[in-house]
Amino acid sequence: MSSPTHYLISAPGKVILFGEHAVVYGKTAIAGSLDGLRTYVLFEKREDGLLELNLPKLGLHLPLLWPTSALPYSKVAAVSKVADNNSSQELAFNEELLKELKPIVLDGNVKNKDIQEINEFQQIAASVFLYLYTSLEDKQTSWNGMTVHVISNLPVGAGLGSSASYSVCLATGLLLVLGHIPIPNSNEGNTDSSFSGSSSPMNLINRWAFQAEKVIHGTPSGIDNAVSTYGGAVSFTKGEMENVIGFQLLRFLLTSTKVPRDTRAQVAKVRVLYDKYPHIVDPIFEAIEGISLSFNEIVNSGASQSELNKKFEELIDLNHYLLNSLGVGHSSIDRVREITAQHSLHSKLTGAGGGGCVLTLLRDDVTSDEITKVKSALATLGFECFETQVGGNGVSVIDSSVTISKQEFLSSENVQQHFSGWKHFT
Ligand SMILES: Nc1ncnc2c1ncn2[C@@H]1O[C@H](COP(=O)(O)OP(=O)(O)OP(=O)(O)O)[C@@H](O)[C@H]1O
Ligand SMILES: C[C@@](O)(CCO)CC(=O)[O-]
Ligand SMILES: [Mg+2]
């Protein structure tokens, strides 16, 4: 087969049902992938030694451009590249490389400097790309540069794992282009993945996406990138995952408060509180873990659907109050909770909080008429609702055996359905 000229990668966002923040401290959390809310990245081959990154979703309407020759390869120890690929150990994070990349990230703007300022979030997104490229470049590619287009139907910085799905797409595309993993054969869905072995492509993608999340968040737990990589619905403790089938059967409404926040700042805020009052905050994390563990017990208890729903609603309220006590609530989240409570529905913040999204359980007895009423009440106040199923495929790819026109990709309403031939890793 002739060498590939493009790859299209897709990875889902995620929703955390229980356990955010506590999971950063090693406690169990429950999360699932959001099949319909995904990031898509198109990688196209170049011949001129340039890396071009297009980030329209972050408000950048001109490309960022860097020559590959400008990257600080000397800061990447050879051993941390290939040898680590076959180990299950966490990859060491290269602070030195990240520091060296800072001025290079800004140089990528040189061509368009007069018309384009790049803000901190755009700089972070560019750093992620260059960090992964520099770490993984191993001269095993027939590509001499690339053009990368990123699009997404996920709200950015709203608690639904936009950073993780961006990280997973970049890690996957770069591992493929730079010759570290093969294109998968399988067209089967990977939702029942049994979290494949340590040298599998999925494992490698997840570990490099975790590195990318570190560039974005500082100290991520790894739950977001794991869910985005593997898909499905899981119970996650310190990097270990188990499938939770019952979670996928539940229905939720996701409401964006549209209040911007970033996960790094929220996680740092909780860290300050923890360092100041460990004897108070640690029991809060324990209590949050108790909620995740109760959820796992209840799901497997064989109770009737209405009993299950009642208990889940109690757990949702408890988890929300505990998150509020950590200081990651927001008045806009309280407002969404009030509105949904008027329709006898229970809600909690999801993700890092401080704004972002709210998760509402839609019990089986809630009619579509009632859902329409809640949504319209929320929309009237300027909130935005997303409905999507929990669980479903993790990362997937289309290779150059399928022709993909850039215009078609950029203008497509639903990339997942528009293109066929998605392949799944093992
Ligand atoms: N489509 C995208 N294009 C480029 N960068 C993106 C994209 N989506 C997310 N990012 C990167 O991720 C950052 C947002 O990450 P952040 O973790 O704060 O929010 P989130 O992942 O949406 O929420 P949470 O972590 O709570 O689930 C952005 O500032 C940007 O750097
Ligand atoms: C707040 C947090 O628990 C979830 C963000 O989606 C952070 C993390 O787990 O890395
Ligand atoms: Mg994130």
Side-chain angles (χ1 to χ4, degrees):
M1 201 181 100
S2 60
S3 69
T5 53
H6 61 259
Y7 292 100
L8 173 57
I9 319 287
S10 151
K14 63 90 228 263
V15 63
I16 297 185
L17 178 54
F18 299 118
E20 48 275 267
H21 288 290
V23 69
V24 175
Y25 298 78
K27 310 296 184 206
T28 301
I30 314 292
S33 61
L34 295 172
D35 207 24
L37 295 174
R38 308 181 77 93
T39 299
Y40 300 95
V41 180
L42 179 64
F43 290 79
E44 294 178 308
K45 182 175 178 172
R46 286 176 81 115
E47 306 285 357
D48 59 2
L50 288 176
L51 298 175
E52 174 183 330
L53 181 63
N54 293 277
L55 302 172
K57 184 93 185 188
L58 297 191
L60 271 178
H61 298 295
L62 296 167
L64 297 170
L65 276 174
W66 305 270
T68 53
S69 57
L71 296 174
Y73 298 108
S74 63
K75 297 292 165 199
V76 183
V79 66
S80 80
K81 297 201 227 170
V82 184
D84 281 358
N85 285 356
N86 293 321
S87 144
S88 58
Q89 269 182 2
E90 194 179 318
L91 299 160
F93 189 71
N94 194 337
E95 287 290 353
E96 187 68 12
L97 172 61
L98 191 58
K99 231 189 294 162
E100 293 277 323
L101 285 173
K102 273 203 169 157
I104 298 172
V105 163
L106 293 170
D107 267 1
N109 206 26
V110 156
K111 285 213 165 69
N112 303 311
K113 216 166 200 149
D114 296 340
I115 30 182
Q116 178 164 260
E117 288 274 307
I118 74 168
N119 66 32
E120 200 191 325
F121 297 122
Q122 296 157 349
Q123 286 174 39
I124 290 174
S127 302
V128 172
F129 172 65
L130 293 184
Y131 182 95
L132 292 182
Y133 186 92
T134 315
S135 304
L136 292 168
E137 161 66 287
D138 218 9
K139 306 278 177 262
Q140 297 179 42
T141 179
S142 62
W143 291 25
N144 182 18
M146 63 181 78
T147 298
V148 177
H149 297 276
V150 184
I151 60 173
S152 174
N153 61 355
L154 269 164
V156 174
L160 301 184
S162 72
S163 64
S165 63
Y166 174 66
S167 298
V168 170
C169 287
L170 287 189
T172 306
L174 291 171
L175 283 164
L176 281 167
V177 170
L178 300 171
H180 298 280
I181 57 173
I183 191 86
N185 294 319
S186 163
N187 285 71
E188 300 291 307
N190 60 3
T191 46
D192 287 333
S193 157
S194 49
F195 313 124
S196 38
S198 63
S199 60
S200 69
M202 287 265 253
N203 184 277
L204 205 53
I205 291 168
N206 188 34
R207 285 160 70 217
W208 280 103
F210 189 37
Q211 294 294 92
E213 279 278 85
K214 285 182 191 166
V215 175
I216 299 172
H217 286 194
T219 55
S221 63
I223 189 170
D224 293 4
N225 50 279
V227 169
S228 181
T229 303
Y230 291 96
V234 298
S235 174
F236 176 103
T237 318
K238 295 186 186 133
E240 298 294 320
M241 293 192 290
E242 280 171 39
N243 285 314
V244 186
I245 305 298
F247 183 13
Q248 307 200 28
L249 305 175
L250 300 174
R251 290 189 304 162
F252 298 100
L253 186 66
L254 294 168
T255 306
S256 170
T257 60
K258 298 200 189 156
V259 172
R261 86 304 166 276
D262 75 279
T263 299
R264 174 186 280 267
Q266 297 303 317
V267 169
K269 187 155 111 181
V270 173
R271 172 67 62 184
V272 169
L273 198 66
Y274 176 79
D275 288 345
K276 199 164 171 191
Y277 300 113
H279 300 307
I280 300 173
V281 176
D282 204 41
I284 298 176
F285 292 150
E286 293 277 350
I288 292 177
E289 178 165 60
I291 293 173
S292 300
L293 299 180
S294 299
F295 172 79
N296 281 337
E297 261 170 44
I298 296 166
V299 163
N300 295 317
S301 68
S304 70
Q305 200 61 40
S306 65
E307 273 176 274
L308 288 181
N309 277 321
K310 179 149 187 1
K311 286 187 174 160
F312 292 155
E313 289 185 333
E314 286 164 359
L315 296 182
I316 283 174
D317 288 336
L318 276 170
N319 198 170
H320 183 77
Y321 299 137
L322 288 167
L323 285 164
N324 260 347
S325 74
L326 294 173
V328 295
H330 191 271
S331 54
S332 63
I333 298 173
D334 294 337
R335 191 77 186 105
V336 173
R337 274 175 49 85
E338 277 164 30
I339 308 291
T340 57
Q342 284 163 13
H343 297 262
S344 58
L345 297 172
H346 294 244
S347 311
K348 69 177 269 292
L349 72 84
T350 186
C357 280
V358 181
L359 168 83
T360 304
L361 179 67
L362 298 173
R363 297 179 314 267
D364 288 356
D365 61 298
V366 183
T367 62
S368 50
D369 209 31
E370 279 169 285
I371 298 174
T372 309
K373 279 191 197 144
V374 179
K375 281 168 68 177
S376 103
L378 291 164
T380 309
L381 293 169
F383 299 121
E384 185 180 10
C385 295
F386 298 91
E387 269 183 282
T388 165
Q389 279 189 312
V390 174
N393 287 318
V395 61
S396 43
V397 56
I398 298 180
D399 63 15
S400 353
S401 58
V402 177
T403 306
I404 293 175
S405 100
K406 186 175 81 188
Q407 290 326 325
E408 225 182 307
F409 166 69
L410 293 176
S411 60
S412 167
E413 287 273 300
N414 185 335
V415 177
Q416 201 72 24
Q417 282 173 13
H418 189 91
F419 297 102
S420 53
W422 291 102
K423 292 180 175 174
H424 304 281
F425 294 90
T426 52

